[in-house]
């Protein structure tokens, strides 16, 4: 005698479940689309030369608060609290990173600006030749709770891996462009729920 399973939608007692409810994650389509929108926002923000809301460090200068490859939430300077000693900021350098972005802690305030230092560095950025950081050079503050940086462990490792692979490949695109293409492709896949 053949049995009939009540677990199979076409042989069971109830109506077939809609495809979305078959996912092991409740409301998974919403989750996938949210991830897709976040990736798309990251790509757009990066294209326009702004710091992404989720960024990462690519050196160990902020150990132990942020290790190489750790991500963090960047609160834009326009909406962040007034910077103060103890805050970790992202600023546009003039000397030490040739105009790049630096993520370091404010250790003092002077009439000329802020004195900054990587937690693992033996000297301040200003002792290394960087002028005091004026408020207009501060791009963002790193999100912290009760003075402790909220670290997203290893988040930047994926980005660093993509950039490293692109540097050694014959594709001919700058690493940042290839990274944006990968993120855009990820956004499309997440939007489709795959």
């Amino acid at each position: 005698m053949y049995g009939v399973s009540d677990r199979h939608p076409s042989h069971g007692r109830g109506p077939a479940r809609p495809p979305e409810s078959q996912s092991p994650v409740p409301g998974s389509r919403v989750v996938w689309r949210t991830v897709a929108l976040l990736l798309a926002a990251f790509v757009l923000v990066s294209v326009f030369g702004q710091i992404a809301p989720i960024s990462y460090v690519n050196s160990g200068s902020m150990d132990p608060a942020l290790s190489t490859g750790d991500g963090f939430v960047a609160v834009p300077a326009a909406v962040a609290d007034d910077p103060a000693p103890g805050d970790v900021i992202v600023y546009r350098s003039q000397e030490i990173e040739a105009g790049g972005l630096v993520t370091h802690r404010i250790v003092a305030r002077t009439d000329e600006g802020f004195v900054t230092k990587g937690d693992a560095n033996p000297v301040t950025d200003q002792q290394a030749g960087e002028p005091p950081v004026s408020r207009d050079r501060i791009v963002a503050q790193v999100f912290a709770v009760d003075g402790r940086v909220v670290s997203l462990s290893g988040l930047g490792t994926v980005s660093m891996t993509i950039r490293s692979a692109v540097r050694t490949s014959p594709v001919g695109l700058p690493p940042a462009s290839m990274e944006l293409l990968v993120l855009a492709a990820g956004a499309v896949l997440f939007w489709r729920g795959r």
Side-chain angles (χ1 to χ4, degrees):
M1 176 175 237
Y2 295 101
V4 176
S5 169
D6 61 345
R7 293 184 182 157
H8 192 281
S10 64
H11 300 295
R13 294 185 177 104
R17 294 181 297 189
E20 183 176 39
S21 66
Q22 292 177 3
S23 172
V25 179
S28 66
R29 189 171 214 62
V30 172
V31 171
W32 291 125
R33 291 209 167 165
T34 301
V35 169
L37 290 173
L38 290 173
L39 284 172
F42 181 83
V43 169
L44 287 174
V45 167
S46 297
V47 165
F48 291 108
Q50 300 298 313
I51 187 166
I54 304 275
S55 197
Y56 66 91
V57 294
N58 59 9
S59 78
S61 69
M62 281 301 296
D63 276 338
L66 292 167
S67 298
T68 304
D70 281 354
F72 60 86
V73 176
V75 180
V79 297
D81 292 335
D82 286 334
D87 290 342
V88 177
I89 60 169
V90 179
Y91 72 89
R92 291 202 185 281
S93 71
Q94 292 179 346
E95 299 295 328
I96 61 173
E97 289 292 328
L101 296 177
V102 175
T103 304
H104 281 171
R105 189 178 305 277
I106 296 174
V107 294
R109 179 182 291 181
T110 68
D111 291 337
E112 295 85 35
F114 297 100
V115 177
T116 54
K117 179 181 175 291
D119 290 355
N121 291 350
V123 297
T124 66
D125 299 343
Q126 289 61 45
Q127 290 170 318
E130 184 70 30
V133 179
S134 58
R135 193 178 295 264
D136 64 319
R137 288 176 42 215
I138 298 175
V139 176
Q141 283 188 38
V142 176
F143 181 70
V145 175
D146 295 329
R148 294 179 53 93
V149 170
V150 176
S151 171
L152 307 170
S153 295
L155 184 71
T157 304
V158 172
S159 178
M160 290 188 301
T161 301
I162 292 169
R163 286 178 184 231
S164 175
V166 170
R167 278 190 198 104
T168 60
S169 76
V171 174
L173 284 174
S177 297
M178 183 58 101
E179 182 180 14
L180 292 175
L181 286 173
V182 169
L183 289 173
V188 169
L189 290 175
F190 278 117
W191 185 263
R192 295 185 63 192
R194 305 215 184 240

